[in-house]
Amino acid sequence: MAGTSDIKDLLTRNVRQSGIYIAFVFIVLLFTVLTRGALLSPGNLTNLILQYSYILILAIGMVLIIVAGHIDLSVGSVVAFTGSVAAVVVIQHGLPWWLGILAALGVGILVGLWQGFWVAIVGIPAFIVTLAGMLIFRGMTMQTLGNVSLSPFPEAYQKIAGGFLNGLFGGPGYDVFTLVVAAAVVIVFALQQWRARLAKLRYDQSVEALWIFAVKVAVVAVIVMAFAWQIANARGLPMVLILLAALILIYSFVSQQTVFGRHVYAMGGNLQAARLSGVKTRLVNMMLFVNMGLLSAIAGIVYSARSNSAQPGAGNMFELDAIAAAFIGGAAVSGGVGKVQGAIIGGLIMAVMSNGMQIMGIGQSTQSIVRGVVLILAVAFDVYNKKRAGAEG
């Protein structure tokens, strides 16, 4: 029999996911106050997107790796390596910028195949394989670049991370096109949520009360439109935000609505049971690491376009930021739990904290301490939830 849920049920049904959204709102409000509004200024919001987009791209792939029960320590080095390949093709050899992109993507896929072979076929733990990959691809980056930086990239390449879509519909002091796109996003979100609600009712599943549903959609609409208004008053819609939004939609669908996604969660929840039920675990593992290599290449392209150079030390510590984003966003240490949306929120929490502390003039040493404390608290929350679930069971 279908039923409705009140606010308490809505918050406790999945405390990990609801908690992370509440934490995100709290952190944004906190740093907005501490920075006297500078955090949410139009210019800073735009810079926040440009500065942390590549970490969010990595977090999308990392959460799937963690859900399957693995870890990838090599993504920072792969970001550097793929960026260096693009630089050699475009800057050193003077070939078209799009050939540099294709070369970087191809190298990323080959890296994924290499690491997937050792994990899926040979059976070496991903921690060891990717630790080796971190060293291998960092060394290959240095060899590719000759241990020097290459710059600058052509303007068309730079626009991947620094370009904007604006002025298409005009606007008196702000970009109307950005607002139109945001309104379309809100409409699509509302329709998708309404369809999901009807589907649950059709199968006699519990749903939130109608007024709670309406409030949820209204809150999302206000946040999206307020965000769009701010960036519309800066430089318009960043092209990298369009890329990031497309990746979020694609991977949210793949992870939640496809057979492959269900197999990933099944492997993370109980690997032996997944094998017995017919899941081709080797193929799934191979595809996971190929996908991570591809996303690392996309992040490498975005990062090199953003910095307008390829550097031997590029991507340093990116893997830790991506892993932290996944865990803070609700991924379980033991696998089987985690969502793309949660990883994005986790990455945004890290981004807001870092950006807010930079605005406040807090030193890098203190920033590292704060980020480390937040990460360990997120994992401790996961452990607490498991113990509580075990006690209730």
Side-chain angles (χ1 to χ4, degrees):
M1 182 72 179
T4 58
S5 303
D6 58 18
I7 294 178
K8 182 179 179 181
D9 290 335
L10 187 65
L11 292 176
T12 58
R13 186 183 305 157
N14 190 343
V15 67
R16 290 179 58 79
Q17 292 299 329
S18 60
I20 196 62
Y21 292 113
I22 295 171
F24 176 59
V25 171
F26 172 77
I27 289 172
V28 169
L29 293 176
L30 174 63
F31 279 100
T32 299
V33 173
L34 293 176
T35 60
R36 299 180 180 179
L39 177 74
L40 298 182
S41 65
N44 190 65
L45 276 181
T46 299
N47 289 331
L48 195 66
I49 297 167
L50 301 179
Q51 188 174 353
Y52 294 98
S53 56
Y54 32 87
I55 298 297
L56 298 179
I57 292 171
L58 292 175
I60 292 172
M62 188 64 72
V63 71
L64 295 179
I65 292 284
I66 291 173
V67 165
H70 302 300
I71 202 77
D72 192 337
L73 301 177
S74 68
V75 295
S77 296
V78 179
V79 164
F81 183 39
T82 52
S84 71
V85 169
V88 168
V89 170
V90 177
I91 299 174
Q92 204 169 71
H93 294 288
L95 295 173
W97 61 273
W98 54 268
L99 279 179
I101 292 176
L102 292 179
L105 294 176
V107 167
I109 291 172
L110 289 175
V111 167
L113 287 169
W114 165 263
Q115 300 199 124
F117 167 78
W118 293 107
V119 174
I121 308 302
V122 179
I124 301 176
F127 178 88
I128 302 299
V129 171
T130 58
L131 178 60
M134 180 174 66
L135 301 174
I136 292 169
F137 301 119
R138 181 63 64 183
M140 292 180 72
T141 300
M142 295 176 182
Q143 288 189 348
T144 302
L145 294 175
N147 219 16
V148 297
S149 298
L150 286 179
S151 65
F153 280 100
E155 184 178 351
Y157 189 94
Q158 294 179 48
K159 285 184 177 179
I160 297 171
F164 294 84
L165 288 178
N166 52 33
L168 297 180
F169 297 160
Y174 55 86
D175 182 48
V176 173
F177 177 72
T178 301
L179 299 178
V180 171
V181 171
V185 169
V186 169
I187 293 172
V188 171
F189 171 78
L191 291 175
Q192 187 273 333
Q193 291 295 306
W194 181 251
R195 288 181 60 186
R197 177 185 173 85
L198 292 180
K200 288 182 179 180
L201 289 173
R202 194 176 302 119
Y203 291 99
D204 293 330
Q205 296 178 3
S206 178
V207 297
E208 66 266 33
L210 184 59
W211 72 270
I212 296 178
F213 172 83
V215 169
K216 180 179 71 173
V217 172
V219 167
V220 171
V222 169
I223 292 174
V224 170
M225 293 308 299
F227 170 78
W229 173 255
Q230 290 295 84
I231 63 173
N233 279 275
R235 287 175 281 177
L237 188 63
M239 293 176 65
V240 73
L241 180 59
I242 298 174
L243 171 63
L244 182 60
L247 290 174
I248 293 171
L249 290 174
I250 291 169
Y251 281 92
S252 295
F253 175 79
V254 168
S255 62
Q256 300 296 318
Q257 304 293 331
T258 67
V259 173
F260 173 76
R262 288 193 289 271
H263 286 176
V264 171
Y265 282 91
M267 287 170 51
N270 190 321
L271 180 59
Q272 189 59 32
R275 285 173 177 162
L276 293 174
S277 64
V279 175
K280 298 179 180 178
T281 56
R282 288 185 175 182
L283 178 60
V284 173
N285 279 329
M286 178 65 77
M287 292 176 67
L288 279 171
F289 280 94
V290 170
N291 175 70
M292 190 72 254
L294 177 63
L295 287 175
S296 297
I298 294 174
I301 293 166
V302 171
Y303 182 75
S304 58
R306 167 70 174 161
S307 59
N308 194 23
S309 67
Q311 308 159 12
N316 187 36
M317 302 292 284
F318 280 13
E319 59 276 352
L320 300 186
D321 287 335
I323 292 169
F327 283 135
I328 293 172
V333 178
S334 57
V337 176
K339 290 185 177 181
V340 169
Q341 301 96 313
I344 294 298
I345 295 298
L348 289 174
I349 286 176
M350 299 290 285
V352 168
M353 288 195 305
S354 296
N355 182 258
M357 288 187 286
Q358 288 172 10
I359 295 174
M360 295 168 64
I362 295 175
Q364 287 293 331
S365 58
T366 303
Q367 291 186 39
S368 295
I369 293 171
V370 171
R371 292 162 70 188
V373 169
V374 170
L375 175 58
I376 200 167
L377 288 176
V379 176
F381 188 52
D382 172 47
V383 173
Y384 167 76
N385 280 334
K386 285 183 178 178
K387 289 182 177 179
R388 189 180 65 173
E392 292 176 353

